[in-house]
Amino acid sequence: MKFVSIVGARPQFVKAAALSRELRKTHKEILIHTGQHYDHNMSDIFFSELQIPKPDYNLNIGSGSHGAQTGIMLKDIEEVIINEKPDGVIVYGDTNSTLAGALAASKLLIPVFHVEAGLRSYNKEMPEEQNRILTDHISKLLLCPTDTAVINLEKEGIREGVKNVGDIMMDTVLYYKVLAKETTSLNDIIDKYNIGTDEFYLSTLHRAENTQVSEKIETILNAFETLNKKVVLPLHPRTKKIVDKLQLNLKNVVVIDPVSYFEMLILLENCIKVITDSGGLQKEAFFMEKQCITLREQTEWVETLNGNWNRLCSIDEKEIIDSINSTVLEDAQKDYFGSGNTASEIVKQLENYYI
Ligand code: UD1
């Protein structure tokens, strides 16, 4: 069978790495990179480190307003699909690249297969929530990571083609954790980024809801400045621009460039706790048995909240400090996300679709 897979942003490279490897054992895959993320350390580094096959098409779309970015992608992806005539199109997650890919395929009546279907924050102001809902409603196979995702789809009347295949990011973490340790050490990372200590909190911030208002970033950083250990903050380029403008005199926060996937795994394994607004990192923290404080009002990954492994926190200086200092674990972790064989499960489901 011939599939077109569409990626564009960091979290999709991580997911495609696991599925591509499995899919290409028995099928033909044509990979499209929309170019939504284009900086070396937001894109190329993931392809080389995770040994993701070179994209057959790089659309070089780059940044833009949501409408313009999604619109240009839609037009360019349509051309590729018409040219390649695949049996199906695979899209990942909830970015603008996901929606553009799903829409282009669906309008050409090519079946859409959505990896990480069924997630909901129930906050429609998030661009990701809009992308997920729309993609799910035009997908033929809804490849869900959890039982909660299956239930979410049921509530919207979607039952056909819904499968819980486990979480593809679990495959990625299990596979690359070993490789990361073989090629990267904590000391190398500490030296490379001038971190200066091996006791640190790990944080990332990039969500539109937190980065659109610079006061929110300032509140978060002020809270970080009061902590008793340093906060290592690999910064997304957009957040970096905002932080630079604020001209804060940060002493406890170590701002560094976006790190590679291997570096992230090593930082995760060695940090005290994780403080983030990323969906993927919340889960990776859970997989690596680290407590997480999520700087958002909702999470799609509600399972991680059980036993206090993850805790939601508003953007309020006192609440942030209290959450970081006081989180107590109540329960052992449970196996909500499958066992790391999601890629082969997905390939099986893709094959069954055509029977
Ligand atoms: C996108 C996804 C988000 C995902 C995140 C992962 C959407 C709506 N959002 O958000 O769900 O969690 O990726 O990182 O698709 N920029 C650069 N260099 C890059 C990429 C971005 O400088 O390589 C800057 C640009 O100023 C750009 C801004 O970051 O305007 C935002 O990038 P964009 O791809 O639009 O969204 P993300 O915030 O990265």
Side-chain angles (χ1 to χ4, degrees):
M1 230 102 61
K2 180 175 174 183
F3 297 98
V4 161
S5 298
I6 298 166
V7 295
R10 246 181 344 186
Q12 291 162 335
F13 308 145
V14 171
K15 291 161 200 161
L19 185 54
S20 248
R21 196 176 325 109
E22 193 62 30
L23 189 65
R24 286 177 189 231
K25 287 182 188 165
T26 38
H27 300 284
K28 185 167 171 58
E29 182 189 40
I30 303 290
L31 189 62
I32 303 182
H33 183 348
T34 62
Q36 179 171 348
H37 284 175
Y38 45 87
D39 286 353
H40 174 78
N41 51 9
M42 298 285 284
S43 175
D44 294 351
I45 182 96
F46 287 80
F47 280 81
S48 55
E49 207 170 59
L50 306 185
Q51 295 170 338
I52 305 168
K54 196 172 165 314
D56 299 275
Y57 296 85
N58 196 327
L59 306 179
N60 292 312
I61 306 289
S63 302
S65 67
H66 284 257
Q69 191 183 52
T70 313
I72 301 167
M73 284 180 198
L74 177 60
K75 178 178 165 294
D76 289 4
I77 294 170
E78 182 180 64
E79 270 174 37
V80 177
I81 297 176
I82 290 172
N83 189 26
E84 292 290 345
K85 301 181 186 56
D87 294 297
V89 168
I90 301 169
V91 295
Y92 295 88
D94 56 18
T95 73
N96 292 341
S97 301
T98 315
L99 177 62
L103 208 48
S106 176
K107 283 182 177 282
L108 292 168
L109 306 182
I110 307 278
V112 177
F113 306 127
H114 187 199
V115 178
E116 219 178 61
L119 296 183
R120 296 291 181 269
S121 64
Y122 295 102
N123 172 2
K124 282 197 188 148
E125 286 186 13
M126 288 174 67
E128 292 85 1
E129 184 79 351
Q130 300 176 12
N131 292 339
R132 286 178 202 128
I133 294 174
L134 294 166
T135 301
D136 282 341
H137 281 257
I138 52 175
S139 292
K140 293 290 185 202
L141 273 183
L142 296 106
L143 302 156
C144 297
T146 58
D147 288 336
T148 310
V150 173
I151 295 165
N152 290 343
L153 291 172
E154 218 172 287
K155 285 188 208 155
E156 290 172 26
I158 307 177
R159 288 183 189 84
E160 212 173 309
V162 177
K163 316 276 172 196
N164 182 351
V165 289
D167 196 309
I168 190 84
M169 281 179 65
M170 176 78 103
D171 294 31
T172 315
V173 168
L174 291 179
Y175 185 85
Y176 292 105
K177 203 162 74 168
V178 185
L179 284 180
K181 278 195 199 155
E182 281 170 14
T183 55
T184 321
S185 78
L186 178 63
N187 282 337
D188 290 347
I189 300 172
I190 291 174
D191 287 349
K192 177 174 168 189
Y193 295 102
N194 251 325
I195 294 173
T197 173
D198 60 1
E199 286 186 287
F200 54 87
Y201 296 102
L202 176 63
S203 179
T204 70
L205 294 169
H206 77 276
R207 285 277 164 196
E209 68 211 65
N210 283 339
T211 52
Q212 264 162 0
V213 185
S214 64
E215 283 83 19
K216 285 195 175 182
I217 304 257
E218 203 167 349
T219 303
I220 296 167
L221 294 178
N222 282 340
F224 287 177
E225 280 293 288
T226 71
L227 298 175
N228 62 347
K229 299 285 184 225
K230 290 214 164 162
V231 181
V232 175
L233 183 62
L235 265 198
H236 185 289
R238 179 187 41 205
T239 324
K240 177 140 194 343
K241 277 184 213 151
I242 302 165
V243 171
D244 285 349
K245 260 202 209 133
L246 288 170
Q247 294 193 313
L248 302 168
N249 180 20
L250 297 172
K251 295 202 171 66
N252 202 45
V253 180
V254 187
V255 173
I256 63 176
D257 285 337
V259 293
S260 76
Y261 189 68
F262 285 3
E263 289 170 339
M264 191 50 129
L265 287 178
I266 302 284
L267 286 170
L268 250 175
E269 185 162 42
N270 290 284
C271 71
I272 305 167
K273 288 181 188 181
V274 174
I275 310 150
T276 189
D277 57 10
S278 151
L281 196 58
Q282 286 173 55
K283 247 184 325 164
E284 283 162 344
F286 189 83
F287 298 160
M288 305 280 276
E289 301 192 3
K290 292 287 170 179
Q291 278 183 284
C292 183
I293 287 87
T294 296
L295 299 172
R296 287 180 51 198
E297 300 293 333
Q298 319 86 14
T299 178
E300 300 77 27
W301 305 105
V302 288
E303 298 81 2
T304 60
L305 299 172
N306 293 339
N308 256 340
W309 284 93
N310 188 9
R311 175 172 174 160
L312 297 175
C313 177
S314 306
I315 309 304
D316 171 86
E317 192 173 329
K318 186 171 176 311
E319 193 178 332
I320 295 171
I321 298 167
D322 288 349
S323 303
I324 297 169
N325 287 333
S326 70
T327 315
V328 181
L329 287 174
E330 285 161 6
D331 217 348
Q333 287 194 355
K334 295 200 179 71
D335 173 19
Y336 303 110
F337 298 97
S339 51
N341 61 356
T342 295
S344 61
E345 252 326 292
I346 290 177
V347 173
K348 218 188 294 167
Q349 294 299 341
L350 294 175
E351 290 167 351
N352 286 345
Y353 176 81
Y354 296 95
I355 295 172

